[in-house]
């Protein structure tokens, strides 16, 4: 008999102490488990400033940040900053300094395993500026790659020289063209999958090293780096994928014009008007977006998905006309997927995970939407097959109607689901909401469709994400005859296929911040781009604005 058993039997005082020690241990375990399972998710409300340089002081406001002792961490891209290394940390405010050599990245707050939705923190030196007659250095040269093969989304380092100290408009392209073809055609004939800033493919850019993610639609072939008017030597790279493949064919080059006019101002002194004109985002199926003309001269180029124009000290006689002309390449995209190899459970990257969450346009957490999504997929786990079921449900159950620019976007989706009548906007949002409710990343696309007469029509479609393959397009509205009437016996293929007559002006909801404190932001209903605002005013009480649908000047 050991000493513990002896004293436990003989001494009531010892038994009393053991009881309280045991009770304390149980209470501590229960408290610890409650802290883990019931902790509230942190939420970022604002980041000031959102455009920063190295060693700038940044203030994050929000809720449920906890305190320094709560295992709290700040994530900025691939960096981890503990709460103890921040200037200050409270439940509602975090203050920290940006690290050295900071580059644009997603920022989120993690408290006891709970992670906030990310927001963008932009490096000031990455903002594009208007420059005239810029001279470029010698042609870039690739000396080696960190790996010779990989899948879509794989991190890859490119080593060499002459890449430039900052990316600006330089690009990394994965092309299936041979070295001989590249030598004969040069940059003008270069085709392939480009890395996308909106998809966070660019991780690092310096004169001797580029770090990227293998972009959507990349194929086995060659990697080239393009800087200014110079192209690097091609270096072979193999894209391996058991899930499927994505093919880009039938390249089309469009020249487009966007116009907007403003008049009839009623305003006070020292007023200003900011106008954000959407520009087509670069993605796997549309690239080489090039601004040809902007009148008047822009205040900022390609800032938060638009070209910014600023007007000051307007009066009742002021009349403003904005004209933008640009070229863009588009492709038909065809996906071929082997659903058996699609993983049902996989940990998504933070920049993709955000597309499974509800937002201001997509109420995927609504109980009716969650219920309908569950009824459609019936407990199935394969995300590709479930997305197809959602697509088929919409085609079979929804009656199409013409696009309306007056319907309230905040209530139209639930009404469309109940009445089973929807326009292309509601159909795209419906697909995304049902997919996100099933934990499938999905994003609405806003833009235009070009008919055979080269006339533009505002249109909405969507994409969903399969890890290892990338974004897959869907356009159920087109199968229902929107925006063109289509004979039902000749329904176009719209799941996993998209033709080059679709031109996107936004993918998802572009995060935007006010240009001036207290400015009034104006949003457009069901316009050709999904944005938090198109116009922002200060000390202007009334005015008239007209936005035309982007027009096609030519196709070649």
């Amino acid at each position: 008999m050991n000493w513990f058993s002896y004293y436990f039997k003989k001494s009531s005082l010892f038994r009393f102490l053991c009881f309280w020690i045991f009770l304390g241990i149980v209470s501590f375990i229960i408290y610890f488990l409650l802290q883990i399972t019931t902790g509230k998710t942190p939420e970022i409300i604002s980041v000031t400033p959102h455009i920063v340089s190295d060693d700038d002081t940044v203030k994050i406001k929000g809720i449920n940040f906890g305190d320094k002792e709560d295992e709290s961490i700040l994530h900025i891209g691939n960096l981890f900053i503990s709460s103890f290394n921040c200037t200050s940390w409270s439940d509602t405010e975090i203050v920290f300094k940006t690290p050295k050599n900071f580059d644009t990245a997603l920022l989120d707050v993690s408290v006891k395993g709970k992670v906030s939705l990310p927001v963008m923190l932009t490096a000031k030196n990455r903002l594009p500026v208007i420059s005239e007659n810029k001279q470029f250095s010698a042609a870039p040269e690739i000396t080696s790659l960190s790996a010779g093969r990989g899948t879509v989304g794989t991190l890859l380092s490119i080593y060499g020289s002459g890449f430039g100290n900052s990316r600006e408009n330089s690009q990394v392209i994965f092309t299936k063209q041979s070295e001989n073809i590249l030598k004969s055609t040069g940059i003008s004939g270069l085709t392939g999958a480009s890395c996308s800033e909106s998809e966070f493919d660019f991780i690092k850019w310096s004169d001797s090293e580029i770090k990227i993610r293998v972009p959507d639609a990349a194929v086995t072939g060659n990697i080239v780096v393009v800087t200014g008017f110079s192209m690097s030597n091609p270096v072979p790279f193999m894209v391996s994928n058991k899930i499927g493949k994505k093919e880009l064919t039938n390249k089309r080059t469009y020249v487009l014009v966007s116009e907007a006019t403003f008049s009839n101002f009623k305003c006070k002194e020292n007023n200003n008007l900011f106008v954000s004109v959407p520009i087509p985002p670069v993605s796997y199926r549309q690239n080489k977006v090039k601004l040809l003309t902007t009148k008047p001269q822009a205040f900022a180029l390609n800032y938060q998905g638009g070209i910014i124009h600023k007007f000051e000290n307007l009066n009742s006689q002021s009349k403003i006309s904005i004209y933008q002309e640009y070229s863009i390449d588009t492709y038909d995209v065809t996906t071929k997927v082997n659903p058996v190899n699609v993983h049902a459970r996989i940990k998504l990257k933070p920049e993709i995970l955000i597309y499974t969450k509800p937002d201001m346009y997509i109420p995927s957490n609504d109980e009716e939407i969650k219920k309908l999504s569950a009824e459609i997929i019936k407990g199935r786990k394969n995300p590709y097959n479930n997305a197809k079921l959602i697509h088929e449900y919409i085609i079979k159950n929804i009656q199409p109607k013409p696009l309306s620019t007056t319907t309230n976007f905040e209530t139209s989706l639930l009404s469309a689901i109940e009445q089973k009548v929807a326009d292309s906007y509601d159909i795209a949002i419906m697909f995304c909401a049902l997919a996100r409710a099933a934990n499938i990343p999905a994003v609405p696309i806003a833009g235009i469709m070009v008919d055979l007469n080269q006339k533009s029509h505002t249109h909405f479609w969507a994409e969903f994400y399969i890890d290892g393959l990338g974004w897959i397009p869907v356009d159920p509205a087109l199968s229902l005859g929107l925006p063109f009437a289509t004979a039902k016996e000749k329904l176009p293929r719209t799941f996993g296929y998209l033709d080059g007559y679709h031109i996107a002006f936004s993918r998802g909801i572009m995060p935007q911040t006010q240009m001036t404190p207290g400015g009034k932001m104006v949003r457009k209903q069901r316009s050709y781009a999904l944005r938090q605002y198109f116009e922002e005013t200060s000390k202007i009480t009334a005015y008239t604005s007209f936005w035309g649908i982007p027009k096609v000047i030519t196709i070649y």
Side-chain angles (χ1 to χ4, degrees):
M1 181 180 295
N2 58 37
W3 68 268
F4 180 86
S5 300
Y6 176 81
Y7 284 108
F8 192 82
K9 288 182 177 181
K10 296 293 184 178
S11 172
S12 59
L13 178 61
F14 185 75
R15 289 194 297 272
F16 179 77
L17 290 173
C18 289
F19 170 77
W20 282 106
I21 292 172
F22 174 76
L23 187 62
I25 293 172
V26 171
S27 299
F28 176 79
I29 293 172
I30 293 174
Y31 173 79
F32 179 75
L33 292 175
L34 285 174
Q35 289 295 306
I36 293 177
T37 58
T38 64
K40 295 181 179 180
T41 300
E43 179 181 344
I44 297 174
I45 296 174
S46 66
V47 177
T48 308
H50 63 279
I51 301 174
V52 297
S53 301
D54 291 359
D55 207 37
D56 278 357
T57 297
V58 180
K59 183 181 294 184
I60 306 173
K61 289 188 175 293
I63 56 175
N64 305 323
F65 294 157
D67 54 38
K68 287 191 175 183
E69 283 72 34
D70 281 337
E71 302 173 21
S72 305
I73 298 174
L74 194 62
H75 299 143
I76 307 176
N78 295 323
L79 297 176
F80 297 84
I81 303 176
S82 73
S83 54
F84 292 97
N85 292 326
C86 292
T87 305
S88 64
W89 190 302
S90 71
D91 194 55
T92 58
E93 182 179 282
I94 301 169
V95 179
F96 72 99
K97 286 186 176 294
T98 52
K100 298 292 184 183
N101 302 315
F102 172 75
D103 199 0
T104 297
L106 288 174
L107 177 152
D108 64 60
V109 178
S110 173
V111 182
K112 298 179 180 176
K114 305 278 187 176
V115 183
S116 72
L117 290 178
V119 298
M120 182 65 74
L121 192 62
T122 303
K124 191 173 183 178
N125 61 11
R126 291 294 299 274
L127 290 177
V129 296
I130 300 175
S131 59
E132 301 293 337
N133 302 319
K134 181 162 182 174
Q135 299 297 316
F136 293 93
S137 58
E141 180 183 4
I142 300 176
T143 56
S144 64
L145 305 175
S146 60
R149 64 186 299 164
T151 60
V152 170
T154 300
L155 286 173
L156 178 70
S157 290
I158 303 170
Y159 303 103
S161 61
F163 301 146
N165 293 322
S166 61
R167 187 176 76 84
E168 298 186 7
N169 293 319
S170 299
Q171 185 55 267
V172 177
I173 298 176
F174 288 66
T175 177
K176 60 182 178 182
Q177 294 169 307
S178 68
E179 183 174 358
N180 289 335
I181 292 176
L182 289 171
K183 285 181 179 179
S184 63
T185 62
I187 293 178
S188 61
L190 180 62
T191 63
S194 303
C195 291
S196 169
E197 192 166 287
S198 63
E199 293 301 316
F200 310 102
D201 290 335
F202 294 104
I203 309 300
K204 176 185 178 181
W205 193 289
S206 69
D207 192 60
S208 58
E209 180 186 359
I210 301 170
K211 192 171 186 178
I212 59 166
R213 293 188 187 277
V214 177
D216 210 327
V219 295
T220 295
N222 285 295
I223 295 176
V224 295
V225 176
V226 177
T227 59
F229 298 100
S230 300
M231 182 174 68
S232 74
N233 55 305
V235 176
F237 185 81
M238 178 178 288
V239 177
S240 55
N241 203 324
K242 295 181 179 180
I243 296 175
K245 65 178 181 178
K246 187 178 293 181
E247 295 180 341
L248 302 178
T249 57
N250 299 330
K251 174 187 171 184
R252 298 173 182 86
T253 299
Y254 292 88
V255 177
L256 302 171
V257 167
S258 293
E259 295 180 278
T261 60
F262 305 84
S263 59
N264 302 322
F265 289 94
K266 294 182 180 179
C267 43
K268 301 176 182 178
E269 293 182 353
N270 300 318
N271 60 72
N272 58 56
L273 167 67
F274 286 95
V275 180
S276 178
V277 183
I279 55 176
V282 173
S283 70
Y284 66 91
R285 59 163 297 273
Q286 65 179 36
N287 56 27
K288 293 187 180 178
V289 178
K290 182 179 180 181
L291 179 66
L292 303 176
T293 304
T294 178
K295 299 178 182 178
Q297 189 178 42
F299 176 73
L301 294 176
N302 197 13
Y303 179 66
Q304 297 181 338
I307 293 180
I308 307 297
H309 295 266
K310 181 181 181 181
F311 305 95
E312 298 177 290
N313 301 316
L314 301 168
N315 57 54
S316 59
Q317 303 302 313
S318 298
K319 292 185 179 181
I320 297 170
S321 294
I322 297 175
Y323 178 95
Q324 285 181 190
E325 185 178 312
Y326 32 76
S327 64
I328 178 175
D329 291 349
T330 69
Y331 296 84
D332 295 353
V333 56
T334 304
T335 55
K336 298 178 181 179
V337 178
N338 184 357
V340 175
N341 292 330
V342 175
H343 299 292
R345 296 181 180 275
I346 195 162
K347 188 176 180 180
L348 296 169
K349 301 185 290 290
E351 58 266 29
I352 299 299
L353 185 64
I354 192 173
Y355 295 117
T356 65
K357 308 297 182 183
D359 60 35
M360 63 185 294
Y361 286 93
I362 304 173
S364 54
N365 58 344
D366 181 88
E367 291 301 324
E368 290 300 317
I369 290 174
K370 291 195 293 185
K371 179 181 177 183
L372 177 57
S373 179
E375 290 174 356
I376 293 170
I377 66 176
K378 293 183 172 59
R380 297 177 178 88
K381 301 298 183 184
N382 188 297
Y384 178 81
N385 290 337
N386 287 345
K388 195 169 186 177
L389 289 171
I390 293 169
H391 180 266
E392 291 172 352
Y393 170 86
I394 293 173
I395 292 175
K396 291 177 181 178
N397 293 277
I398 301 299
Q399 294 295 316
K401 70 175 184 178
L403 186 67
S404 169
T405 58
T406 58
T407 307
N408 188 328
F409 76 89
E410 293 176 335
T411 59
S412 62
L413 176 58
L414 299 178
S415 176
I417 289 175
E418 180 181 356
Q419 298 175 14
K420 292 184 167 55
V421 178
D423 60 22
S424 65
Y425 169 88
D426 288 323
I427 290 171
I429 298 297
M430 186 184 303
F431 176 86
C432 292
L434 294 170
R436 291 188 183 189
N439 205 37
I440 303 170
V443 59
I445 314 293
I448 60 174
M449 272 200 73
V450 181
D451 64 22
L452 295 178
N453 297 317
Q454 296 188 14
K455 182 181 178 181
S456 303
H457 304 260
T458 301
H459 190 57
F460 299 87
W461 60 100
E463 293 177 349
F464 68 96
Y465 188 84
I466 296 297
D467 191 76
L469 181 61
W471 291 99
I472 297 177
V474 291
D475 189 359
L478 187 59
S479 286
L480 295 172
L482 299 174
F484 313 123
T486 306
K488 287 195 174 181
E489 64 272 15
K490 295 181 181 179
L491 287 178
R493 179 186 174 191
T494 60
F495 185 84
Y497 172 82
L498 203 72
D499 62 49
Y501 296 106
H502 291 71
I503 303 175
F505 276 82
S506 66
R507 297 183 74 253
I509 315 304
M510 170 60 69
Q512 292 172 271
T513 54
Q514 288 180 294
M515 302 298 292
T516 57
K520 182 180 179 182
M521 303 169 76
V522 179
R523 183 164 50 203
K524 302 294 181 184
Q525 296 277 8
R526 286 168 161 75
S527 183
Y528 63 91
L530 292 175
R531 301 178 63 78
Q532 290 177 288
Y533 79 92
F534 281 70
E535 305 153 14
E536 181 183 331
T537 64
S538 177
K539 297 184 179 181
I540 298 176
T541 56
Y543 63 100
T544 302
S545 68
F546 174 77
W547 290 77
I549 300 173
K551 299 176 183 178
V552 176
I553 297 179
T554 187
I555 306 175
Y556 57 91

